[in-house]
Amino acid sequence: MSSGSAGGTSFEGRGPITYVAGADNTGTVRAVLDRWNRLHPKEKVTFVELPTDPDAQRQQMIQNAATRSDAFTVLSLDVVWNSEFAAHRWVDRLPEDRFPLGDMLKPIVTTGMYRGGLYSVPASSDGGLLYYRTDLLKRAGIARPPVTWAELKADCARVRKLPAARGMACYAGQFHKYEGLTVNFAEAVDSAGGAVTDAQGRPQVNSPEAKAGLDFLVGSLKDGTVPQEAVTYQEEDARRAFQSGKLVFERQWPYMYPLAARKDGSSKVAGRFAVAPLPGLHGPGASSLGGHNLALSASAKNKATALDFIRFYTSQATQRFTLAYAPAAPTYEALYQDPRLVRKYPYLPVLKRSILHAVPRPRVFGYGDVTAAIQREAFAALTGEKSSASALRDLQRDLRRQAAGK
Ligand code: GLC
């Protein structure tokens, strides 16, 4: 019955399990689960599909843990929740030797570690990319995508003079008050040479560099580079705006690539866009490291089955299968090198670079409070309720207080 042990957990029991994750926008999750269920008729997995909003997913998972319910077995954790879930022992420590972690990109593996132990196994990664309209840049006589924010603005000014660009906005990311704002805020700060926290996790956000980063976002909303409605955008809103031809540039994850490339009429920009590294203040910017890892709920049943399922779901074979089905960001280095895949998904080399240069969001025990403070202060600055300077000062004070446990 037993399937090994780690950190005192014995992985025992076989039978039905559940897989708990955010909304399956591409249909990939169902395809993978169907495959497992065909192979394991006595250990079927049922999909518990949570909302798209990561903050809502986290809440439901915490509630399941708090009531020690066995309704959730395998959790798809956003990489930023690993420390919090591990520290609270809401998830079990996993046996490292059962997973080919050495074949994965290193920064991705780090997202599953806590105090030297493995608590979640990377299933997919994520890195921010600058999507841009190749047709419009070409028509405006622009030879390469922008590397700095100033270039991005200058390119927009030229593109917007084209009759074909009438009514278009320049740029958007995800600026609604949710986890995506933490991602976009941290990217702006990091891309201006600042940092939200230092390597020891100490808050560092009240700096001239961080201010330059936040000022780029605030100033862009003020001068119309970013449309006002972008403060309501989550990933799907921004994707729809880009796909319907409203934006010249968009910061987005790789999941949009195949969707925007569809030739069935659902995307107006099919064949007219490409991706580049995110721009920054003085040169290329830095992405926030995203992605999802599989963890095992501590209060779950059938842990031997769950461990096998995690191995299956995070295997290179499954990632190859999902790439053929609906592309995402693989965790295995080999998949970024495969010439056939690169031909099919030209974003892969840009994405690999984005991931290798990406900056993790604060890796802290109380991540929920940290991200809430970032969202509150960044949103106040974006909506003009506070100046960048006072938002950053208040954020620094808040993060410091949290770090001191007050
Ligand atoms: C993506 C990323 C995740 C991030 C989220 C923000 O799902 O993979 O890490 O937190 O977007 O909306």
Side-chain angles (χ1 to χ4, degrees):
M1 281 305 254
S2 171
S3 219
S5 70
T9 308
S10 53
F11 299 94
E12 285 173 358
R14 294 199 171 271
I17 57 171
T18 59
Y19 174 64
V20 186
D24 180 17
N25 293 328
T26 54
T28 316
V29 175
R30 282 204 170 72
V32 174
L33 301 194
D34 286 351
R35 237 177 138 210
W36 166 271
N37 284 339
R38 271 197 303 276
L39 296 167
H40 304 87
K42 292 193 179 140
E43 297 169 274
K44 282 208 165 151
V45 58
T46 307
F47 186 22
V48 178
E49 191 169 10
L50 300 182
T52 312
D53 184 334
D55 302 326
Q57 295 166 22
R58 176 175 162 275
Q59 279 312 327
Q60 292 201 31
M61 290 182 186
I62 292 180
Q63 210 167 348
N64 181 79
T67 55
R68 302 204 54 75
S69 162
D70 61 10
F72 292 178
T73 317
V74 175
L75 310 177
S76 169
L77 295 187
D78 191 316
V79 288
V80 286
W81 308 332
N82 182 69
S83 302
E84 183 180 30
F85 277 64
H88 282 101
R89 308 243 164 247
W90 292 331
V91 295
D92 287 332
R93 182 167 171 183
L94 299 170
E96 265 168 68
D97 55 356
R98 304 284 312 274
F99 302 94
L101 301 175
D103 298 338
M104 296 186 183
L105 292 175
K106 214 164 171 209
I108 299 178
V109 175
T110 310
T111 63
M113 307 298 293
Y114 177 74
R115 299 208 169 156
L118 177 73
Y119 287 85
S120 62
V121 187
S124 63
S125 186
D126 243 347
L129 303 169
L130 182 73
Y131 286 74
Y132 65 98
R133 289 285 301 274
T134 44
D135 57 335
L136 298 177
L137 261 61
K138 195 168 167 212
R139 261 197 243 179
I142 302 163
R144 56 161 182 80
V147 176
T148 64
W149 291 329
E151 283 176 14
L152 178 137
K153 289 195 181 196
D155 289 353
C156 275
R158 284 170 69 176
V159 167
R160 279 159 127 185
K161 287 195 188 123
L162 300 170
R166 190 163 301 135
M168 285 181 78
C170 174
Y171 172 75
Q174 296 75 38
F175 304 127
H176 178 70
K177 198 175 181 183
Y178 80 119
E179 186 59 35
L181 178 56
T182 300
V183 167
N184 280 257
F185 167 78
E187 283 173 354
V189 168
D190 295 326
S191 299
V196 179
T197 52
D198 65 16
Q200 282 72 43
R202 284 179 304 230
Q204 266 330 319
V205 82
N206 194 15
S207 69
E209 293 82 6
K211 183 170 174 305
L214 183 54
D215 278 344
F216 163 67
L217 298 180
V218 171
S220 296
L221 271 154
K222 263 195 201 136
D223 69 16
T225 303
V226 173
Q228 285 305 318
E229 67 200 46
V231 299
T232 67
Y233 283 3
Q234 297 198 12
E235 279 82 0
E236 282 292 86
D237 310 291
R239 173 171 80 82
R240 277 191 286 268
F242 187 77
Q243 278 188 204
S244 62
K246 281 192 196 158
L247 300 169
V248 183
F249 297 105
E250 194 213 334
R251 178 256 171 247
Q252 183 59 279
W253 304 108
Y255 90 96
M256 181 173 90
Y257 196 98
L259 300 174
R262 272 194 193 159
K263 297 216 164 97
D264 60 1
S266 60
S267 170
K268 287 196 179 152
V269 300
R272 300 179 182 180
F273 73 91
V275 295
L278 295 176
L281 181 60
H282 300 299
S287 166
S288 293
L289 184 58
H292 288 83
N293 296 354
L294 266 45
L296 175 52
S297 163
S299 49
K301 280 193 194 125
N302 296 333
K303 291 190 177 180
T305 298
L307 198 61
D308 286 353
F309 174 77
I310 295 176
R311 277 160 50 82
F312 166 83
Y313 202 113
T314 60
S315 68
Q316 194 172 142
T318 295
Q319 289 191 14
R320 261 184 200 283
F321 169 78
T322 52
L323 269 170
Y325 195 87
T331 64
Y332 290 94
E333 181 150 28
L335 301 183
Y336 287 89
Q337 253 91 276
D338 184 319
R340 271 201 9 243
L341 287 174
V342 173
R343 220 173 305 128
K344 191 162 175 203
Y345 305 122
Y347 69 82
L348 284 172
V350 189
L351 176 61
K352 182 180 174 194
R353 184 188 177 286
S354 170
I355 290 171
L356 290 177
H357 289 86
V359 181
R361 280 162 277 171
R363 252 190 214 122
V364 290
F365 172 81
Y367 185 75
D369 294 333
V370 167
T371 190
I374 294 175
Q375 293 170 33
R376 186 179 61 243
E377 297 303 332
F379 197 71
L382 294 190
T383 51
E385 200 186 300
K386 278 186 187 178
S387 67
S388 309
S390 61
L392 292 174
R393 204 175 41 238
D394 293 352
L395 179 56
Q396 174 74 10
R397 198 194 44 220
D398 237 52
L399 295 181
R400 221 189 242 148
R401 212 181 274 152
Q402 286 179 22
K406 285 181 207 147

